[in-house]
Amino acid sequence: MDMRKLVGNNMGRIRREKGLTQEQLAELSGLTQQYISGIENGRRNPTIVAIYELAVALGVNYMELVKPEE
Amino acid sequence: MDMRKLVGNNMGRIRREKGLTQEQLAELSGLTQQYISGIENGRRNPTIVAIYELAVALGVNYMELVKPEE
């Protein structure tokens, strides 16, 4: 299973559902827009702490970012 | 939530349930015993790919390593 792609797809989908741009998520999470773009494109391998911080910024449980895609 | 501690506690518990030593898990996962010890002691911040590889080595779904402790 390609975990980079899985987390990236989950994050992009949730971010759009929340009506946030990558820049807004970057501001909320304290991470850079480039890093967020890299995660969403499956190019990054985020740590569990970064995933948790992104989930908090998105207002979702961190499990939503790592769960298998439906 | 302290995600380092959560993943570490889950991993230590599952490893012991499987009757594996840290050295055996290191061999199975291709990671070092020191890295595994660091994760179990909450000192490491593993990436989602490392968590997935450890889950495969332990023979469990990766969600078991990140889910909240009961």
Side-chain angles (χ1 to χ4, degrees):
Chain A
M1 195 181 298
D2 184 334
M3 296 304 290
R4 289 180 176 87
K5 223 184 245 166
L6 183 141
V7 171
N9 291 345
N10 281 336
M11 197 170 93
R13 175 176 44 76
I14 293 168
R15 176 179 60 76
R16 284 186 297 272
E17 283 168 6
K18 300 280 182 177
L20 292 171
T21 63
Q22 289 184 346
E23 288 74 15
Q24 288 168 324
L25 179 55
E27 222 165 290
L28 287 165
S29 63
L31 300 167
T32 67
Q33 182 273 328
Q34 290 77 4
Y35 185 69
I36 286 164
S37 169
I39 291 175
E40 290 191 6
N41 295 319
R43 292 195 315 269
R44 293 276 180 171
N45 179 16
T47 65
I48 191 67
V49 170
I51 289 171
Y52 180 77
E53 286 167 353
L54 285 160
V56 169
L58 286 165
V60 295
N61 185 295
Y62 68 92
M63 296 289 271
E64 293 300 310
L65 290 182
V66 295
K67 71 174 187 178
E69 295 172 274
E70 274 116 28
Chain B
M1 195 181 300
D2 184 333
M3 296 305 291
R4 290 179 176 88
K5 222 184 245 167
L6 184 141
V7 171
N9 291 345
N10 281 336
M11 197 169 93
R13 175 174 45 76
I14 293 169
R15 176 180 59 76
R16 284 186 297 271
E17 283 168 7
K18 300 280 182 175
L20 293 171
T21 63
Q22 288 184 347
E23 289 74 15
Q24 288 168 324
L25 179 54
E27 223 166 287
L28 287 165
S29 63
L31 300 167
T32 67
Q33 181 273 328
Q34 290 76 7
Y35 185 70
I36 286 165
S37 169
I39 291 176
E40 289 191 6
N41 294 320
R43 291 196 315 269
R44 293 277 180 172
N45 179 16
T47 65
I48 191 68
V49 170
I51 288 170
Y52 180 78
E53 287 166 355
L54 285 160
V56 169
L58 286 165
V60 296
N61 185 295
Y62 68 93
M63 297 288 271
E64 293 300 311
L65 291 182
V66 295
K67 68 174 188 176
E69 295 172 272
E70 274 114 32

